[in-house]
Amino acid sequence: MRAPAVESVSTRRYRVTHRTTYEYADVVSASFGRCFLMPRSMPGQRVLSAEVTIDPEPADRSTGTDIFGNADIYFHVRTPHHRLEVTGSSLVDVDPIDPDLIGTGPAVAPWEHARPTASGDADAREFVLDLFPPEITDAVREYAAPVFTPGRPLIEVIGDLTTRINQDFTYKSGSTAVSTRVATVMERREGVCQDFARVAIACLRANGLAARYVSGYLATDPPPGRERVVGADASHAWAAVWVPGGQWIAFDPTNDKLVDERHVTVAWGRDYDDVPPLRGVIYTDSTSSTISVSVDVAPHELPTVSQEESPGPQDATISP
């Protein structure tokens, strides 16, 4: 399989709204929560504005940065309530893939060269380690073996793995939960975006490569002439592999493509458990509750800039 081609596209701007609403059958006396809802500023992505609103208003809240550099928010709602709504809103510019990232250097070198060294790549080494309980099983090794043939260029390995997962696994909403293990997904051959990302990550780590789990969004409306992709109108997930020099090549097995200007990166970690959009604890006697989630990633027009006012070229490297 050849390396994926890069289309001639330009930077896109999105207005992102991610709203989660909990409804409880009885009063909740207190809610504690932690959320990852603010996109990252990084090469290839610029966050112009971002905020998280919580209703009822928390008595305490704090914004910090976790060990992976993601922005996280902790909150404590003390007002008795039957309904809790958490909304993340942001305005983000996303650049297309840098052709040099996938067409030169480590990307076209043998994939074995992308294994982090024990001495010089300590940050990446963490992303090689298996999880607990282990995700790297004999089934994962067997599945990955035909892709990771000796000496094959890394970008071809990524492209082949992406396509193979897309073709071999069926996207079926509700077929898995966040606690579903990779072994179960391998056996059933079905799941959702987070499952496919985790299968890919297990395959990469089984071969000594550093891989991370990435959470984010897909554009709701495709650009003119391009097809709608699976996973829009919801949180999305994909994987990224480390390359020497500290960059990462991200790919989306759910849609059989590299991550590009249609993906908005929010957070990354070693697995889903590191970066759930929202997680918390409540105090209540309620025996039932409902949750509704809505996500909108709407294209937003970029400002028109004259030639005299035009800024210099932007770094278009995607490293989610």
Side-chain angles (χ1 to χ4, degrees):
M1 177 183 173
R2 292 181 301 173
V6 178
E7 300 178 42
S8 178
V9 291
S10 58
T11 297
R12 301 197 73 202
R13 177 169 293 179
Y14 302 103
R15 174 71 67 183
V16 182
T17 305
H18 182 157
R19 179 173 292 105
T20 305
T21 305
Y22 297 92
E23 302 272 0
Y24 306 103
D26 202 348
V27 66
V28 173
S29 59
S31 295
F32 293 87
R34 183 192 189 194
C35 58
F36 292 93
L37 294 173
M38 294 193 294
R40 294 187 66 129
S41 285
M42 61 186 196
Q45 178 171 293
R46 294 167 296 284
V47 180
L48 307 180
S49 65
E51 65 174 352
V52 173
T53 58
I54 302 162
D55 182 26
E57 183 70 25
D60 302 296
R61 66 179 287 169
S62 63
T63 301
T65 304
D66 73 357
I67 192 172
F68 302 111
N70 305 304
D72 58 354
I73 294 177
Y74 290 88
F75 62 87
H76 179 195
V77 176
R78 299 178 184 175
T79 305
H81 55 281
H82 286 84
R83 180 177 183 273
L84 175 68
E85 185 172 275
V86 180
T87 304
S89 303
S90 56
L91 186 65
V92 187
D93 283 354
V94 186
D95 297 330
I97 302 170
D98 179 2
D100 289 340
L101 177 62
I102 62 172
T104 63
V108 296
W111 66 266
E112 296 94 333
H113 295 183
R115 289 170 170 157
T117 62
S119 57
D121 307 309
D123 291 342
R125 288 286 300 172
E126 179 179 8
F127 292 91
V128 179
L129 301 176
D130 198 3
L131 303 176
F132 183 81
E135 298 277 51
I136 300 174
T137 62
D138 289 342
V140 167
R141 295 186 183 93
E142 182 180 347
Y143 184 78
V147 177
F148 290 82
T149 54
R152 194 178 191 189
L154 176 64
I155 192 64
E156 288 190 11
V157 168
I158 294 171
D160 197 1
L161 181 63
T162 302
T163 298
R164 191 168 184 218
I165 293 173
N166 177 268
Q167 294 177 349
D168 292 347
F169 293 76
T170 300
Y171 186 96
K172 187 176 181 181
S173 181
S175 61
T176 58
V178 295
S179 59
T180 302
R181 310 306 302 174
V182 165
T184 303
V185 179
M186 294 291 297
E187 180 181 351
R188 296 177 180 172
R189 287 295 200 271
E190 63 182 20
V192 294
C193 57
Q194 68 190 29
D195 302 305
F196 304 155
R198 295 173 67 234
V199 168
I201 290 168
C203 290
L204 291 164
R205 290 175 179 165
N207 287 277
L209 299 179
R212 63 189 183 194
Y213 178 97
V214 188
S215 69
Y217 308 110
L218 278 173
T220 303
D221 298 317
R226 299 177 69 182
E227 295 181 359
R228 184 180 178 85
V229 289
V230 176
D233 300 314
S235 296
H236 196 48
W238 54 90
V241 61
W242 179 86
V243 295
Q247 293 182 298
W248 295 75
I249 298 175
F251 58 99
D252 181 356
T254 304
N255 293 292
D256 191 16
K257 69 198 303 290
L258 294 176
V259 167
D260 58 18
E261 75 288 347
R262 299 174 67 184
H263 295 73
V264 177
T265 299
V266 174
W268 59 64
R270 298 192 64 245
D271 192 39
Y272 170 86
D273 285 342
D274 290 330
V275 288
L278 183 59
R279 176 176 289 166
V281 176
I282 63 171
Y283 292 88
T284 181
D285 291 326
S286 177
T287 58
S288 63
S289 64
T290 61
I291 178 174
S292 62
V293 180
S294 66
V295 174
D296 184 45
V297 186
H300 193 281
E301 186 175 351
L302 287 163
T304 302
V305 181
S306 67
Q307 187 66 34
E308 291 77 10
E309 297 173 332
S310 177
Q314 299 291 323
D315 181 358
T317 300
I318 293 287
S319 57

